[in-house]
Amino acid sequence: MCFSLNSHSYTLDSPSTWMQVPLNKIDELNKKDPALALAFSKKLFDRHQQKMTDFDKASILSKMAQHNYILGHYNVSQGLLDQAYALKVDLTTDVGISLLLTQGGIMDELGNSEQAMVKYSLAAKYAKANENSKMLADSYSYMAYSYSINHKDTQALKYYHQAYLQLEQIGDELDLAYLKAEMANAYSLTFDDINAIKLAKEASDYFSKHQYYFDELFVQNLLAKIYLRKKDYQKAEVTYLRVIEIIKKTNKKEYIYLAYLGLANTYHHSQQHDKARIFWHKYQEQQPHYENPSAKIGAIILEAKLALSDHNITAAIDTLARVEATLKPLDKQNALSWYVQLFDLQAEVAVLKKDFQTAYFKQKEARALLKDYYNAERETIRSKYKVMFDTDQAILTNKLLEQDKALNKAALDNAAQQQQLQNMIIIIILLFVLVLFYFIYRQILNSKALHKIANTDTLTELASRRYTFIYAQKMLLQAINAKQQFAMIIFDVDHFKQVNDSFGHAGGDIALKEISSTANEYVRAHDILGRIGGEEFLLILPEASSAQAYEIAERIRHAIEHKVIIINSKPLQITASFGISQLTDKQDSFNQLFNNADMALFQAKDQGRNRTVIANET
């Protein structure tokens, strides 16, 4: 009886010996093309189902569900998952973890991200318990993708990098290539096009070298989207044409609609409307079936844009109604970018109908959503720098305590010397006076030093964040009382992470010192320039208008742009982006001015970096 129980337990958590060879073949076929792996899995399941254990069946059903999920057949995939769950497979096994991840992936694609994250978290928990780095990396990768499609880009990159560390540790080059492709999309959404293109090309080169053309097809499609986002329409066109070549080479005609839709989008944005319509009609002829609402929305929005370019108001209204209907089941916070596009297009329709009031409110609603998104992302990034700042403050406090201990020890030593000189009253008095003056002098020096430490950034020797904010609020109050002008500039180094990646943090520190020194040359006597975190700076300009602030910002920007910084005998040139706000009747608090300058800085980043933007004063 014990033997029987043990044998039954074994069959529930591992496949039969004879199944290892076909399972390995399925994995090899999947590397080439999930469709081939799916066809082989179906044939294996149909022919040998009778001799399979429940765990064998669950293993095959899990792989078939995963292949259908990859191919976009979500309903079929869910049906296979239901069959696997009915076999009561142990979810803590690798097969169980795979079922959880595929289930979560389907939920994500259908707009149920909260439920999906529960599945991913459970999968990660079981993978950690099993010490399975591969499954843990997959769990992190699914989490990252979920955060990415829900506009939580910093969280996405965090989990992508955790997945990367796991895969790098086990040396799985193929999975690293998959991960690089996903990370490329996340970097593109955070406007880091250099890293995005680099990772996408690395993944594409790997797939091409090993003749994994199915994966190369989708990475090239992703690379074309990245070029389209950065408005490099010529490269986007070339890359989409490369997608068509791969499709023809591999006879994967069912995916040709991806290239047609991409080319239609590219030509529309580059104002080549005749070409855009040609490829839009080719796309419509394919009649792709979308189970993913997000992919469906992208196509419908392009249809609305094309209708507007033809001034076909009726078609545009009907199309946008379909967009609204598709968006309705989705969580608004997880579909912000689609809602922004929807409101912008509804505003365009209102303008064509000369309904300018509706157009104004739709534009206002779109900008409000965009602002919410940027503020949320900005706060996430700022929280990271707050932790760094608090750590620096703790280190500074420890240093001050050590200085206090040193001063106390000196006082005790001096008292001991005075006891030894009791018989020499005159000398004692003289020494006492001298020592007193000495300590007074030292206290003055220490006080000045501590004041400087508290109010100065130790790296750049500019004003600290705390001191800059206090000075700004003081000067703003004076400007309001005296009815004078007042402006501020926030600027941020572009792509500073690449400097740290290329030259190390020591090289990054050298760059920050050089930038601070260069910017400080253009600061007036009663202005103050402070470093408020990482590579971000704040310049306070009493008695200055936004126009004057713009001139100063441009001088600093040009000086930084043309500054050649030498790090480890290598030249480096970098740029910075600037945001400006000024005191008005409606904007008269420090927080308002700071947030407006911060939003202007984001607009400068969004418009291509290395530029200056003045905040809207309305």
Side-chain angles (χ1 to χ4, degrees), residues 24-37:
N24 290 338
K25 183 173 182 180
I26 290 171
D27 290 339
E28 287 302 313
L29 288 172
N30 185 47
K31 293 177 183 178
K32 293 288 184 183
D33 188 339
L36 295 175

Side-chain angles (χ1 to χ4, degrees), residues 349-402:
V349 170
V351 169
L352 288 175
K353 294 172 67 178
K354 300 188 184 302
D355 183 358
F356 299 112
Q357 184 177 8
T358 299
Y360 169 77
F361 283 113
K362 286 295 180 181
Q363 276 287 313
K364 186 177 180 181
E365 198 170 357
R367 300 288 75 76
L369 282 181
L370 194 62
K371 184 177 180 180
D372 286 345
Y373 167 66
Y374 279 136
N375 281 347
E377 282 302 297
R378 191 64 166 174
E379 190 58 37
T380 303
I381 295 168
R382 284 191 182 283
S383 66
K384 177 180 71 173
Y385 289 116
K386 182 182 183 302
V387 172
M388 294 169 59
F389 178 75
D390 290 344
T391 303
D392 290 341
Q393 292 302 300
I395 293 170
L396 176 60
T397 301
N398 289 335
K399 286 182 178 179
L400 293 175
L401 289 174
E402 290 297 325

Side-chain angles (χ1 to χ4, degrees), residues 422-591:
Q422 286 178 354
N423 295 327
M424 303 175 66
I425 298 174
I426 298 175
I427 297 174
I428 288 174
I429 294 172
L430 290 173
L431 286 175
F432 179 77
V433 173
L434 289 173
V435 170
L436 183 61
F437 275 112
Y438 170 69
F439 275 103
I440 291 173
Y441 177 67
R442 280 192 62 183
Q443 284 297 105
I444 292 171
L445 291 180
N446 284 338
S447 178
K448 289 182 178 179
L450 292 176
H451 184 269
K452 183 177 181 181
I453 290 171
N455 296 321
T456 305
D457 177 70
T458 53
L459 175 65
T460 61
E461 296 186 356
L462 297 177
S464 67
R465 177 189 179 94
R466 173 180 170 277
Y467 184 79
T468 304
F469 281 17
I470 290 172
Y471 181 85
Q473 290 169 341
K474 178 183 175 183
M475 291 296 103
L476 177 59
L477 183 59
Q478 288 184 12
I480 293 171
N481 291 335
K483 297 184 178 180
Q484 295 174 335
Q485 293 181 319
F486 179 93
M488 67 171 62
I489 301 171
I490 298 178
F491 65 95
D492 188 297
V493 180
D494 296 330
H495 301 302
F496 187 71
K497 183 179 180 297
Q498 295 169 22
V499 178
N500 282 333
D501 290 346
S502 301
F503 298 94
H505 288 285
D509 287 348
I510 292 172
L512 285 175
K513 288 180 184 178
E514 291 289 338
I515 291 167
S516 302
S517 176
T518 300
N520 215 17
E521 293 176 8
Y522 298 91
V523 175
R524 303 173 304 177
H526 56 292
D527 300 338
I528 188 167
L529 174 63
R531 180 185 178 211
I532 59 174
E535 65 273 19
E536 192 170 19
F537 301 82
L538 176 63
L539 177 54
I540 304 303
L541 302 167
E543 301 179 20
S545 65
S546 58
Q548 291 170 319
Y550 183 87
E551 290 181 7
I552 293 172
E554 281 296 280
R555 289 174 190 166
I556 296 173
R557 185 178 68 79
H558 285 297
I560 292 173
E561 183 182 10
H562 295 99
K563 175 78 174 179
V564 179
I565 302 170
I566 304 300
I567 303 176
N568 299 331
S569 303
K570 295 180 180 179
L572 168 69
Q573 283 186 277
I574 49 184
T575 60
S577 301
F578 295 71
I580 296 171
S581 65
Q582 73 167 1
L583 172 65
T584 66
D585 292 337
K586 294 182 180 179
Q587 299 170 358
D588 58 359
S589 75
F590 172 78
N591 287 339

Side-chain angles (χ1 to χ4, degrees), residues 35 206 268 274 296 314 326 335 349 425 443 460 476 487 525 549 593 617:
Y206 179 87
H268 170 72
D274 290 339
K296 183 179 180 180
T314 302
T326 309
V349 170
I425 298 174
Q443 284 297 105
T460 61
L476 177 59
L593 293 176
E617 297 176 6

Side-chain angles (χ1 to χ4, degrees), residues 258-292:
L258 293 172
Y260 290 159
L261 182 62
L263 285 167
N265 225 332
T266 302
Y267 290 132
H268 170 72
H269 282 91
S270 60
Q271 305 298 314
Q272 301 180 66
H273 297 304
D274 290 339
K275 285 187 176 181
R277 290 184 191 89
I278 290 171
F279 281 95
W280 173 250
H281 290 310
K282 286 187 176 185
Y283 163 79
Q284 287 183 307
E285 289 170 1
Q286 298 300 313
Q287 295 183 338
H289 172 68
Y290 292 112
E291 295 182 32
N292 180 336

